[in-house]
Amino acid sequence: MKVPSSRTLRRTLAALTFTAALALTGCSDDQAASSGGSDAGGQPPAASDGGGGPLAGGEGGAQQAPEADVSDVPDVVATVNGQEITKDEFISVYESQFQQMAMQQQTTGEEVDEAALKDQVANQLVDNQLLLQGATDAGIEATDADVDATLEEIAQQNGLGSADEVVSALEQQGMSEEDVRKDAASQFTLTTFIEQESDIQEPTDEELQAQYDQLVEQQSQGGGQQPQGDGQQPEVPPFEEVKEQLAQQTITQQQNEAAGTIAAELREAGDVTINL
């Protein structure tokens, strides 16, 4: 079984909050479609490549990615209602997003606009903090059982057998169990808060079929996937194999959009300073 990378699993731990708000490796709304900021947020399923299930995606690119320049990052990147976002917090997020974007741009030869990306990441971290504060004010707190259930869901999404396998995989790649559980608790808290504050709708079978048909059409026109070794586009998995994942992506996209709206309202009412 192909074990997802630490970055992939950490994106899943934070999948909810990153297209519009949160931050481990997310994207702003205007870049989400092109840079794949949220693992589950609105991106179409990848065609089968024979590794890790129908949606498994490689992190390809044989070239060495450039290093991010963090020399100008201040010790306190931002303050959100008195809560500081530190340089270390910022760098862990920024470097991950930088490497992701650098790999995506290798094919075009473009360089990452680091100033714009730093601004984007800072704002994502601010929105994340606003949402966490909002969840706390709403009295939402994850129990150990909630964390375990969240990790089990992450295991299923990543083709792992259990929550323990998620923790083990991330421990092998440098995360502590405490950090993994903390991230999972944050995801549960934010998910609960966003669902409480918004109207998330389950997609119908007709809507999912329409999404699938659109994906197949895009694939037939050569959109989105690199050709295989024989020069042919890889096939899209059958609808029943990706139906559940399409549904989750649709729900997550709604959650991301709601998170952005809620964070904007909290920011307007709060006291936010960004020091970049």
Side-chain angles (χ1 to χ4, degrees):
M1 177 181 294
K2 180 181 178 182
V3 177
S5 70
S6 173
R7 188 177 67 187
T8 298
L9 285 173
R10 293 182 72 176
R11 279 204 301 269
T12 307
L13 281 167
L16 227 217
T17 50
F18 295 116
T19 296
L22 221 212
L24 292 181
T25 53
C27 287
S28 65
D29 290 337
D30 60 352
Q31 292 185 336
S34 61
S35 57
S38 173
D39 278 358
Q43 295 298 316
S48 178
D49 61 2
L55 298 195
E59 300 216 354
Q63 301 179 25
Q64 176 99 21
E67 292 187 5
D69 179 8
V70 294
S71 60
D72 60 347
V73 177
D75 291 337
V76 177
V77 172
T79 305
V80 183
N81 297 322
Q83 179 70 41
E84 292 182 348
I85 296 173
T86 67
K87 179 177 182 177
D88 287 345
E89 291 176 84
F90 176 89
I91 288 176
S92 67
V93 176
Y94 176 73
E95 288 182 340
S96 181
Q97 290 201 28
F98 176 87
Q99 295 299 335
Q100 182 184 16
M101 292 185 69
M103 285 191 295
Q104 289 168 345
Q105 294 183 355
Q106 282 178 353
T107 56
T108 65
E110 297 179 7
E111 293 184 359
V112 177
D113 185 340
E114 292 204 57
L117 183 59
K118 286 173 182 175
D119 182 68
Q120 174 185 306
V121 170
N123 278 286
Q124 289 167 348
L125 286 167
V126 165
D127 285 351
N128 176 39
Q129 187 60 47
L130 287 165
L131 289 168
L132 287 171
Q133 290 175 359
T136 299
D137 290 345
I140 299 169
E141 184 176 354
T143 65
D144 287 343
D146 295 328
V147 171
D148 290 340
T150 299
L151 289 172
E152 289 291 345
E153 181 179 351
I154 292 165
Q156 183 178 12
Q157 291 170 353
N158 285 279
L160 298 175
S162 67
D164 288 341
E165 288 189 28
V166 174
V167 174
S168 177
L170 290 175
E171 283 181 330
Q172 293 174 18
Q173 299 178 54
M175 286 185 74
S176 67
E177 180 176 0
E178 180 181 1
D179 286 342
V180 173
R181 293 187 66 84
K182 182 179 178 180
D183 283 352
S186 294
Q187 177 174 325
F188 172 85
T189 300
L190 290 168
T191 303
T192 303
F193 178 56
I194 291 165
E195 290 179 345
Q196 177 178 296
E197 297 295 315
S198 58
D199 183 22
I200 306 299
Q201 298 291 328
E202 292 276 350
T204 65
D205 286 349
E206 291 76 12
E207 290 171 334
L208 294 177
Q209 183 65 59
Q211 289 182 42
Y212 180 80
D213 292 343
Q214 183 179 22
L215 175 63
V216 172
E217 177 65 22
Q218 291 173 346
Q219 193 70 23
S220 69
Q221 296 175 0
Q225 294 295 316
Q226 293 294 326
Q228 296 176 335
D230 57 7
Q232 298 180 350
Q233 292 291 335
E235 293 182 0
V236 179
F239 175 67
E240 291 301 324
E241 289 186 16
V242 297
K243 178 180 176 181
E244 182 178 344
Q245 291 162 319
L246 282 169
Q248 183 56 53
Q249 289 172 352
T250 300
I251 291 169
T252 302
Q253 185 172 12
Q254 293 181 60
Q255 292 169 330
N256 284 333
E257 292 169 355
T261 300
I262 295 166
E265 293 171 352
L266 292 171
R267 186 186 288 232
E268 185 174 354
D271 182 13
V272 174
T273 303
I274 298 177
N275 300 319
L276 287 178

